[in-house]
Amino acid sequence: IAGAEIRSAYAKSLFTKRYGYDTVTGNHSTPLFPSTSDGKIDYEKLVNFGDTLDGCSGQSISENAFASFYGTLTYTLLNRYIFSGTVRSDGSNNFGSKEQFNANWSVSGAWNIDQEPWIADTIMSKIFSTLSLRGGFGYTGGVNKSVYPVLMMNYDSTFRKTDDDYYRKGYISNAPNPNLRWEKNRTFNVGLNMGFLNDRITGEVSYYRNKNLDLVTNVKVPYTTGFMTQSYNTTEQMNNGVEMTLGATLLKIRDFQWRIMANMAYNYNVLTKYDSPTKSLSDAMYVGYPLGKIFTGKTSGIDPETGVYKYIMRPDVTVTKQEDYRKYQYYLYYVGTSNAPWRGGFSTTLSYKSLSLNIVGNISLGGKIINNISCPVSWETAGDVNTESLPSVLNDLYVNHLNVNKDVTHRWTETNHITDGYPRLIDAFGPKITDSSGEYLTSLMPYISSLANCLQLEDVSYLKISSISLSYSLPSKWIRHIKGMSISFLMNNLFILTNYSGIDPETPGAVYPKSRSFSLSIGINL
């Protein structure tokens, strides 16, 4: 197959709003700005009045063009060997003239092993009802329509007044980039499909390795360019994963049948390239780590002398001077990702004649979260001046006067130096806390939120029973004058097994959880 597609779109819209419209004559009368009793008009209010009238009419014009040329070839030999190849070139006016077209191609193949003669004549034909191997490699492209290669001016609705003239005001919203280009995706995948005992048991295992090239991200640029940031093709990201699917009919005896379906997927993404002209990080883009990575400290527990948490310095750090003990970067560890690497689902169905029971669930493993819900009150809201930097929110006297867990009463105090509970409470406006040598807490080691986040780090892995449904179709001899009748009972969001201390690990944080629901329905087929 070979073909081409060329399309364009041009749209122009006009709008107007009228005040004092007369539906009978079709005329309108714009009201004048009112003046005071002495005939004076407030200038600022008059300007706002004029802006309102200016916004009552306007127009917008947009024009887009897209061209695509493609070809594909597929060849099958002996119903056992399948080869396929595609070539495609797409063009868009979203890019500069040198980068408008993007060429892509892909190749793939499959080998139906179960069709081989040397399988049919052996015992393997009785074991494998389906056995095929497939694989593919290729490139695809995408358009990020949030950025443009041309210089764009945004005009304000107000003017700047000088002694003898008025000038229109506006601003340049983006830095032009004629080298802005397509985002690309390089994909490799290989998979094995299997079926056993006349497909009573089926399974599939596949591996993929995708690399996203030329991803558009917003990066910091030198201020001498006139801009603080610019979005362009800066980033590369790698995704590796394995997907597994299993289906089986466990029991099939006369009118009784029990079938299960399950799938599991592992995905690991890593940022492999980030190109910034200032060599600084934007949006915490760390090369060599996943996009959802979490960096925080590791604690050795509550110091029995001071009542605050102590943090462990990384073993790869070399301390050369006293000030190094206060560098928070020396205490940061990679502790996981907010994107769960393991995700899956399962379902099982038991049926006996017209009665059917179906259970559906899903599973998520390895996801992490900083379970730190912002408190409406803290020492920072009490005033502008503080005398003590707090080690963590767990030490904040003002936060812990609100609605908190009852176990916070088990904490370090001046008379009870426990280390298996909560740390000491500190009044940020009270006297500074010192250790036995007279050193202030803030001089011993860094106390910032990025380190203290480890105290609220939680695993949001869970096993959820999403739904249970029970249905029954009435036998035809029980009903007359209608074709069929069924009754079903459905239960959603029944329960979740998790160690997460919040409300719902599927939507962690201060989010209202999915409600449990029950429904009974009757279906009639006339």
Side-chain angles (χ1 to χ4, degrees), residues 428-504:
F429 296 91
K432 288 190 175 183
I433 308 300
T434 60
D435 64 357
S436 58
S437 63
E439 292 287 338
Y440 292 121
L441 294 182
T442 52
S443 64
L444 300 176
M445 63 171 51
Y447 289 114
I448 62 174
S449 59
S450 57
L451 291 181
N453 283 339
C454 69
L455 306 176
Q456 293 153 313
L457 180 69
E458 292 197 44
D459 192 309
V460 286
S461 300
Y462 65 86
L463 171 64
K464 177 180 180 179
I465 302 299
S466 304
S467 66
I468 297 179
S469 62
L470 181 65
S471 61
Y472 181 68
S473 297
L474 276 67
S476 57
K477 63 181 180 180
W478 289 11
I479 52 180
R480 297 180 180 180
H481 310 298
I482 58 176
K483 293 183 178 180
M485 182 175 179
S486 62
I487 302 173
S488 61
F489 179 63
L490 176 63
M491 299 173 285
N492 287 321
N493 303 312
L494 286 184
F495 63 88
I496 296 181
L497 300 177
T498 181
N499 288 325
Y500 174 57
S501 64
I503 300 176
D504 189 348

Side-chain angles (χ1 to χ4, degrees), residues 194-237:
M194 299 168 288
F196 304 92
L197 307 175
N198 292 324
D199 286 344
R200 185 165 179 171
I201 301 175
T202 60
E204 179 180 350
V205 179
S206 60
Y207 167 80
Y208 63 86
R209 184 180 178 89
N210 300 337
K211 189 168 187 178
N212 299 315
L213 309 170
D214 290 336
L215 294 179
V216 175
T217 56
N218 190 38
V219 303
K220 296 178 180 178
V221 297
Y223 293 164
T224 54
T225 62
F227 302 91
M228 298 178 63
T229 61
Q230 183 182 18
S231 296
Y232 63 97
N233 307 87
T234 62
T235 306
E236 294 182 1
Q237 178 186 348

Side-chain angles (χ1 to χ4, degrees), residues 238-258:
M238 182 72 74
N239 285 279
N240 296 282
V242 177
E243 297 178 347
M244 298 165 285
T245 302
L246 175 66
T249 302
L250 300 180
L251 290 174
K252 191 174 183 181
I253 304 174
R254 295 183 180 179
D255 297 327
F256 180 80
Q257 181 172 296
W258 180 18

